[in-house]
């Protein structure tokens, strides 16, 4: 397994400063672990884990920076990004639960739309950032019950209760 990661990525991430929003979530914690394994210096910025136990805590990661904070608080996010001086940003922070979005639509829009804009605006002034990867939900796509992953060219129109 170790050779697989090295063969696919070589030294692309070795020594790179990577900032992950949403690093305490399930996918974010796996990403943080994998990037560390590839030699990246990882800083995370997210709300605390939503469950106990949680994957992030079970991993016992030692990150270059670990910020338990809200992307809706622009100044805090901006300061954390500036201090981390990342080469690369993975934006994964979101309110991703469909039923929760129905219960709290305003908070969902604040987090998923304005929070994303906060990330974009904060890195706009950081010239060392070479790339931004934004991870979104497959829930925007029309659900065809396919066995393969959705593609950007697939029809939109997700409906999920």
């Amino acid at each position: 397994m170790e050779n697989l990661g090295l063969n696919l990525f070589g030294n692309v991430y070795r020594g790179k400063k990577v900032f992950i929003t949403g690093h305490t979530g399930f996918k974010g914690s796996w990403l943080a672990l994998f990037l560390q394994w590839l030699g990246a210096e990882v800083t995370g910025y997210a709300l605390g884990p939503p469950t106990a136990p949680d994957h992030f805590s079970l991993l016992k990661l030692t990150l270059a920076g670990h910020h338990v904070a809200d992307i809706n608080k622009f100044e805090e996010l901006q300061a954390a990004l500036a201090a981390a001086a990342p080469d690369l940003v993975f934006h994964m922070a979101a309110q991703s639960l469909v039923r929760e979005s129905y219960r709290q639509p305003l908070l969902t829009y604040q987090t998923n739309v304005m929070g994303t804009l906060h990330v974009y605006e904060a890195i706009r002034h950081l010239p060392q950032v070479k790339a931004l990867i934004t991870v979104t939900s497959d829930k925007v796509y029309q659900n065809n019950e396919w066995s393969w992953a959705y593609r950007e060219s697939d029809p939109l129109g997700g409906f999920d209760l």
Side-chain angles (χ1 to χ4, degrees):
M1 182 67 167
E2 181 174 330
N3 289 337
L4 176 63
L6 294 177
N7 289 338
L8 289 175
F9 295 99
N11 288 320
V12 170
Y13 293 100
R14 184 160 306 286
K16 294 289 191 285
K17 293 180 179 181
V18 179
F19 193 95
I20 302 173
T21 67
H23 74 291
T24 60
F26 184 73
K27 291 178 183 177
S29 58
W30 273 116
L31 178 62
L33 176 68
F34 187 62
L35 289 170
Q36 277 193 325
W37 181 67
L38 292 174
E41 181 181 315
V42 178
T43 297
Y45 191 96
L47 297 175
T51 62
D54 64 274
H55 189 253
F56 176 77
S57 299
L58 293 172
L59 288 176
K60 298 181 181 172
L61 295 174
T62 303
L63 302 177
H66 170 63
H67 303 273
V68 177
D70 188 340
I71 61 170
N72 288 309
K73 297 183 178 175
F74 178 71
E75 290 79 15
E76 291 177 32
L77 174 64
Q78 186 176 38
L81 272 159
D87 302 300
L88 177 66
V89 176
F90 283 89
H91 173 46
M92 299 179 74
Q95 192 303 99
S96 60
L97 303 174
V98 173
R99 289 188 179 165
E100 186 63 23
S101 74
Y102 293 150
R103 284 191 284 271
Q104 296 192 60
L106 180 59
L107 181 59
T108 299
Y109 273 85
Q110 284 175 329
T111 301
N112 295 359
V113 177
M114 292 309 297
T116 296
L117 291 175
H118 289 159
V119 172
Y120 292 3
E121 179 63 17
I123 67 169
R124 186 169 69 93
H125 301 288
L126 300 175
Q128 79 281 357
V129 175
K130 302 298 184 234
L132 164 68
I133 295 90
T134 301
V135 178
T136 187
S137 171
D138 66 349
K139 301 296 184 245
V140 299
Y141 295 103
Q142 181 178 318
N143 186 353
N144 293 313
E145 299 295 334
W146 290 331
S147 60
W148 59 83
Y150 291 97
R151 299 171 304 266
E152 289 187 23
S153 59
D154 288 337
L156 299 179
F159 183 79
D160 195 347
L161 293 176

